Amino acid sequence: MQRLTDTQRRGTTRYVVLGLTVLAGAGAILGITRLDRAAPAKPANSVTIALSDDRATRDEPARVDYRRLDERITELMQEPDMVGLAVGTVERGKVRFLRGYGETLAGSGDRVTPDTVFRWASLSKGVASALVTKLAEDGRLSLDAPLASMGTTLTIPGDIRRATVADLLSQRLGLVRNAWDDRLEAGENPKLIRGQLGTLPAYCQPGTCYTYQNIAFDAASEIVERITGQNYGSVARARLFAPLGMTNASVGRAGLEAALSWARPHHLAKAHAKLDDAYYRIPAAGGVNSSISDLTRWMRAQMGDAPSVLSAMDLDTMHRPRVPTPPHGPRGAMDRALTNASYGLAWRSFTYAGHSLVGHRGSVDGYGSLILFDPADRSGIVLLWNSNRATAARLQLEFFDMLYGLPPTDWLDLRLKG
């Protein structure tokens, strides 16, 4: 069994549950605070943090029953395939719940904390969208510019001059879905693959339909590097992570493995898995890592709480639906409940119970991730886990049912054994 280092032990006490406090007419809420009251250290580049550490206090009533949410998560963690999970919630801009469950490595005893780092997988696409959108706001490129003028390695079927930067970020390139991901996973150079995508048959004309991409989408990292003259990860850190106080966020495998606490990947039945770096080689599509604390900060920025980093114009540009996303294959009850599904610039949008939601999901071998929030209400949930099982994603609607005061639905639909 692995033992925690002194540094890791200190990390596990950074956040503590104050307790379940029953308020008159408010139900039970879970309060979160820090033991260390010292001012947080500034990032290395001394950028002023644009997002305050805004946590709800005990006297602010919660709409979500966090006792019940904790019980549901505890039930989920009894499933034989669940290893580690980190959960964060925000209500009306206030952090309400921030907690880790389970282990970073099955059987190790090394507990997941709010500072444990996981892979974001496809949630990384939102970072690429933000960087390109900010460059457009700065006047350094146009989202309507032809991709052919961007100097990337990308080719697509037909005339690439018909595809724009916005088409790239909104998955409207006309390629067959997930084009040649198998070749990336087999170890081929993503730039070489990207340069050969134009030899595929066209699925539709650019800008006319939605087909999800990873290798093609990573042309966004080439755009960022060409415009800025800097490494993609460095730009993400300087323009997004540091200003938002995302101290555990990074791009690339080295950033994950350098974390004091990081979650190892697992397959079903808690089988240890080898860390696969295929999608790290396309950083705009799947290269970001962070803790749940940082992902919660990222969600708050997407709600408009850091306008000096992501302006209202940036958020509207990214979140605005641009193309419907019809289902492929069978859909479960949760997917059927999320209606009017569309895609913006690397962000999905839905309607649930009459409310407009924005989010994304991600998965890469041994990891899963989710973000879903109500921009108007400034409330939402983020999840990170380290196994191939996707059941944890169903917690999103249990959260929103409680938030909106809807009758409870057993979205987790657990089949506990034993």
Side-chain angles (χ1 to χ4, degrees):
M1 180 177 294
Q2 295 183 350
R3 296 183 181 274
L4 294 179
T5 65
D6 290 340
T7 303
Q8 288 172 319
R9 288 192 190 97
R10 288 193 295 270
T12 62
T13 60
R14 185 179 179 192
Y15 300 93
V16 295
V17 177
L18 286 178
L20 294 165
T21 305
V22 179
L23 300 178
I29 66 171
L30 189 64
I32 307 290
T33 190
R34 292 179 185 271
L35 285 179
D36 182 4
R37 296 290 184 178
K42 288 186 177 182
N45 60 2
S46 296
V47 172
T48 300
I49 295 176
L51 195 63
S52 65
D53 194 3
D54 194 3
R55 296 171 187 266
T57 61
R58 290 187 182 190
D59 58 354
E60 294 175 293
R63 288 174 289 168
V64 172
D65 181 348
Y66 287 105
R67 185 194 299 273
R68 177 59 178 158
L69 182 64
D70 179 67
E71 289 173 350
R72 294 293 284 163
I73 297 171
T74 301
E75 290 175 26
L76 169 65
M77 295 307 297
Q78 296 174 38
E79 286 284 278
D81 300 319
M82 291 299 299
V83 180
L85 172 68
V87 184
T89 75
V90 172
E91 286 190 45
R92 293 176 177 163
K94 302 284 188 178
V95 178
R96 283 287 183 180
F97 190 89
L98 204 59
R99 188 168 177 184
Y101 297 81
E103 299 175 301
T104 64
L105 178 68
S108 70
D110 186 11
R111 309 304 298 176
V112 171
T113 78
D115 288 327
T116 297
V117 175
F118 294 75
R119 295 183 70 172
W120 277 23
S122 284
L123 269 59
S124 305
K125 292 180 173 69
V127 170
S129 172
L131 292 175
V132 175
T133 299
K134 284 170 68 65
L135 290 172
E137 186 179 42
D138 293 344
R140 302 181 70 179
L141 60 82
S142 169
L143 294 174
D144 296 323
L147 273 176
S149 68
M150 292 291 106
T152 75
T153 59
L154 177 65
T155 64
I156 61 173
D159 189 354
I160 194 171
R161 292 173 297 181
R162 298 187 60 173
T164 67
V165 175
D167 290 333
L168 169 70
L169 297 176
S170 59
Q171 308 283 14
R172 295 179 298 176
L173 293 178
L175 289 159
V176 65
R177 181 170 61 89
N178 292 94
W180 279 338
D181 281 357
D182 56 337
R183 291 177 57 180
L184 176 74
E185 293 166 4
E188 294 188 41
N189 185 320
K191 291 187 177 182
L192 294 180
I193 303 172
R194 197 150 51 235
Q196 297 169 5
L197 288 171
T199 65
L200 291 170
Y203 184 85
C204 65
Q205 289 298 315
T208 64
C209 74
Y210 164 84
T211 58
Y212 193 80
Q213 303 297 322
N214 287 306
I215 300 166
F217 185 93
D218 188 56
S221 72
E222 295 183 301
I223 292 173
V224 170
E225 292 184 343
R226 176 175 174 271
I227 296 295
T228 65
Q230 300 175 53
N231 171 269
Y232 178 80
S234 298
V235 179
R237 182 168 56 254
R239 301 211 65 181
L240 295 173
F241 301 158
L244 294 175
M246 297 169 62
T247 56
N248 291 316
S250 62
V251 176
R253 177 173 181 162
L256 177 73
E257 295 181 320
L260 292 177
S261 172
W262 64 279
R264 276 61 171 177
H266 296 79
H267 292 155
L268 299 183
K270 299 185 179 181
H272 297 178
K274 181 181 178 181
L275 183 62
D276 188 339
D277 64 358
Y279 288 89
Y280 278 134
R281 292 184 286 117
I282 48 172
V288 175
N289 321 291
S290 93
S291 64
I292 202 69
S293 299
D294 285 345
L295 186 53
T296 303
R297 283 180 167 268
W298 178 245
M299 179 167 66
R300 288 182 55 214
Q302 296 297 325
M303 295 173 177
D305 287 352
S308 63
V309 179
L310 292 173
S311 68
M313 181 181 297
D314 291 335
L315 298 178
D316 177 70
T317 298
M318 292 188 293
H319 298 164
R320 185 173 68 249
R322 295 172 183 259
V323 58
T325 57
H328 60 272
R331 294 189 301 162
M334 181 181 69
D335 292 323
R336 292 194 300 271
L338 292 166
T339 61
N340 299 322
S342 299
Y343 208 81
L345 299 186
W347 286 96
R348 299 189 183 278
S349 59
F350 309 94
T351 300
Y352 181 65
H355 299 265
S356 296
L357 303 180
V358 173
H360 212 289
R361 285 176 60 181
S363 65
V364 68
D365 193 27
Y367 295 91
S369 58
L370 179 144
I371 179 171
L372 190 66
F373 59 94
D374 181 331
D377 195 69
R378 295 170 58 232
S379 301
I381 185 169
V382 286
L383 304 164
L384 294 168
W385 62 95
N386 60 334
S387 68
N388 277 357
R389 184 143 193 218
T391 307
R394 301 176 194 166
L395 282 167
Q396 61 182 342
L397 293 191
E398 299 217 1
F399 169 82
F400 281 102
D401 283 351
M402 287 188 270
L403 182 76
Y404 296 145
L406 301 175
T409 297
D410 180 16
W411 294 109
L412 284 178
D413 190 24
L414 299 177
R415 296 289 185 266
L416 296 175
K417 298 176 178 61

